[in-house]
Amino acid sequence: MLKDLFKKHLAQTTDFLPIQLEIERAEGVFLFDKNGKKYIDLLSGVAVNNLGHRHPAIIEAIQKQLDKYLHLMVYGEFVQKETVELAELLASVLPQELNKSFFLSSGSEAIEGAIKVAKLYTKRNEVISFKNSYHGSTLGTLNLLGDEKYKRNFRPLIPNFKSLEFNNESELQKITNKTACVVIEPIQTAAGMITPENNFLTKVRKRCNETNALLVFDEIQTALGRSGKLFAFETYNAQPDILCLAKSLGGGLPISAFISSQKIMKSLENGHPLLGHATTFGGHPLSCSAAIATLKTLLNENIISEVEEKSSLFIKALKHPLIKEIRGKGLLLAVELGDKKLVKTFIENAINNGLLTYSFLFNETAFSIMPPLTITKKEIKLSCEIILKTLDSVLI
Ligand code: PLP
């Protein structure tokens, strides 16, 4: 049995609830298992498949690239058309200052790259993040993780990392002229979709300006349309000095980026024998081709403009005695049930009923709604019917 081999030979990541579905194919918002059972995907591979599964534009771009070449050289040595085009395209949709990209493969690497460049640029070493935040699992990003219980076993970690409370203005005085950078998600996703209140991000921006600390936005989940704008920072009147992207950028292939100004990125080149930062697969031509197709589709079709309306359809339809609150923005929603056991049972039953959802690292009493942005109104109706039916079944 494949499931037994999965458990025997693949290192496991959680004892909470490995989903263990055996998917044979995926199309649009649907996954199909080996028995032909259909699941509506409200996870999008955790905010990756913003255009759904196997979007034709992405498949076509990948197929074209397959006929040209795959890996040629490590990042930054050859002038690869796809890599340059993607960097140019990103610069064209971002504020003028954010015009230089460094491509890597995973979100954690993008965050680590951002921290390295911030340390080099500011010549400071203190890094600030927020409680209940997740920015990756590598030894570098682990320092940012906003909960000591996940870090304890790996100490000693890197010194001078501090963690502040999100949405608490008085905490911002802890950002000082010793701070190299502040790393923050515009919407705290792993905390269960906590949105900024009372212009919190504008205040963080202001404090960074006062102290000359760099502001790093982790838009690894929030970006590429999911919040209702291409980038979530567009909603909150605060522009980062460094922007980190990953997940949805590659349309299903691995690619990440940290993006900043010429001036800041220059510090990666200055004063280093060779390796300000380096990576083998960053800017891989296949991933870049898929990313260009993803971005162009999002820019040219009415997908992002419909996100808010689709979000409201979920919120309006999901009225149930077990639902205490629905938080978030756009198609980044958390449905709060207020009970961990209940959520676990709900997730299991929802999967049996043909709907895929999951809980949050720092909010196990809620389940997520983050479908492909291309989900239709009919598919939203179907999702809500399954959710309500499943909630009825766990109520009894
Ligand atoms: N930042 C955020 C907000 C994430 O959600 C994740 C992954 O879930 C990461 C960073 C790390 O990305 P990766 O798993 O690609 O290293």
Side-chain angles (χ1 to χ4, degrees):
M1 282 281 284
L2 200 58
K3 246 183 212 173
D4 297 330
L5 293 174
F6 166 84
K7 282 194 182 153
K8 186 172 174 194
H9 293 300
L10 285 173
Q12 298 299 308
T13 59
T14 173
D15 58 3
F16 172 62
L17 176 70
I19 304 175
Q20 291 185 59
L21 284 179
E22 281 179 51
I23 298 303
E24 213 152 69
R25 70 186 175 89
E27 202 73 46
V29 296
F30 291 106
L31 305 171
F32 299 86
D33 74 11
K34 58 177 185 165
N35 303 315
K37 184 172 170 177
K38 191 166 150 180
Y39 302 84
I40 193 155
D41 183 3
L42 295 196
L43 268 185
S44 305
V46 187
V48 169
N49 301 300
N50 285 10
L51 290 179
H53 297 275
R54 291 180 43 80
H55 189 284
I58 299 175
I59 299 296
E60 192 192 331
I62 292 173
Q63 278 168 345
K64 270 196 186 150
Q65 186 58 41
L66 282 177
D67 288 335
K68 286 168 66 186
Y69 50 81
L70 293 176
H71 178 79
L72 296 178
M73 188 47 182
V74 300
Y75 172 79
E77 295 288 338
F78 282 15
V79 184
Q80 290 179 178
K81 185 167 176 277
E82 310 70 33
T83 318
V84 177
E85 253 181 53
L86 177 60
E88 190 191 19
L89 185 57
L90 283 166
S92 75
V93 294
L94 281 164
Q96 209 182 352
E97 298 78 18
L98 298 175
N99 60 11
K100 206 154 184 169
S101 291
F102 197 120
F103 292 119
L104 302 127
S105 308
S106 69
S108 307
E109 289 169 276
I111 299 286
E112 294 205 10
I115 293 172
K116 278 179 74 178
V117 81
K119 283 189 170 190
L120 290 172
Y121 180 75
T122 59
K123 300 189 174 54
R124 303 172 180 177
N125 59 40
E126 182 183 83
V127 178
I128 285 185
S129 62
F130 289 82
K131 297 207 163 66
N132 290 342
S133 59
Y134 178 80
H135 299 284
S137 281
T138 55
L139 273 173
T141 52
L142 200 56
N143 293 274
L144 302 167
L145 204 78
D147 188 334
E148 179 57 26
K149 81 167 176 278
Y150 296 104
K151 299 199 268 199
R152 198 174 292 138
N153 293 339
F154 303 100
R155 290 201 177 279
L157 290 167
I158 302 174
N160 289 343
F161 277 70
K162 285 187 185 157
S163 173
L164 310 186
E165 241 175 72
F166 193 81
N167 273 336
N168 183 344
E169 197 181 330
S170 65
E171 291 266 283
L172 298 181
Q173 289 310 311
K174 293 179 185 163
I175 303 169
T176 68
N177 58 12
K178 291 197 173 67
T179 310
C181 66
V182 175
V183 182
I184 188 168
E185 274 187 290
I187 298 166
Q188 279 205 303
T189 52
M193 308 307 182
I194 307 295
T195 49
E197 285 165 13
N198 300 322
N199 297 317
F200 186 65
L201 294 183
T202 318
K203 289 168 184 163
V204 177
R205 175 71 272 177
K206 185 166 169 275
R207 186 64 191 151
C208 286
N209 290 349
E210 285 163 5
T211 54
N212 288 323
L214 296 186
L215 179 55
V216 179
F217 276 175
D218 175 345
E219 289 236 27
I220 285 165
Q221 283 207 42
T222 54
L224 301 201
R226 193 155 279 286
S227 73
K229 299 271 187 203
L230 189 59
F231 305 102
F233 75 78
E234 296 173 80
T235 304
Y236 297 112
N237 195 25
Q239 191 182 305
D241 298 301
I242 307 175
L243 176 68
C244 294
L245 303 176
K247 292 199 185 270
S248 66
L249 180 60
L253 288 187
I255 183 167
S256 68
F258 62 99
I259 306 169
S260 191
S261 63
Q262 302 283 335
K263 196 173 160 200
I264 292 172
M265 288 301 224
K266 188 84 184 149
S267 46
L268 281 176
E269 299 166 28
N270 288 346
H272 295 280
L274 175 62
L275 296 177
H277 201 57
T279 176
T280 298
F281 289 121
H284 192 285
L286 203 60
S287 300
C288 286
S289 301
I292 293 166
T294 303
L295 255 173
K296 283 190 174 165
T297 306
L298 284 168
L299 293 170
N300 298 336
E301 294 180 16
N302 286 334
I303 296 170
I304 300 178
S305 57
E306 290 180 356
V307 164
E308 282 297 359
E309 190 194 344
K310 289 177 180 177
S311 176
S312 314
L313 289 177
F314 273 108
I315 294 169
K316 270 189 210 138
L318 291 179
K319 305 276 186 250
H320 192 276
L322 286 179
I323 297 178
K324 301 208 169 349
E325 184 189 18
I326 303 181
R327 290 183 300 270
K329 178 135 183 54
L331 291 172
L332 261 180
L333 296 174
V335 181
E336 183 61 60
L337 302 186
D339 185 280
K340 186 173 156 181
K341 253 196 190 155
L342 190 63
V343 166
K344 191 170 186 279
T345 313
F346 170 81
I347 292 170
E348 284 165 344
N349 290 6
I351 292 173
N352 287 337
N353 290 336
L355 179 135
L356 187 61
T357 175
Y358 211 62
S359 184
F360 301 91
L361 184 62
F362 300 113
N363 179 207
E364 289 172 290
T365 56
F367 68 88
S368 63
I369 296 183
M370 35 187 185
L373 312 184
T374 47
I375 190 168
T376 63
K377 289 177 186 170
K378 207 169 143 200
E379 289 159 349
I380 293 175
K381 190 164 173 273
L382 173 67
S383 306
C384 293
E385 282 166 8
I386 300 176
I387 292 172
L388 293 172
K389 181 177 96 176
T390 309
L391 284 171
D392 280 346
S393 75
V394 294
L395 188 59
I396 298 161

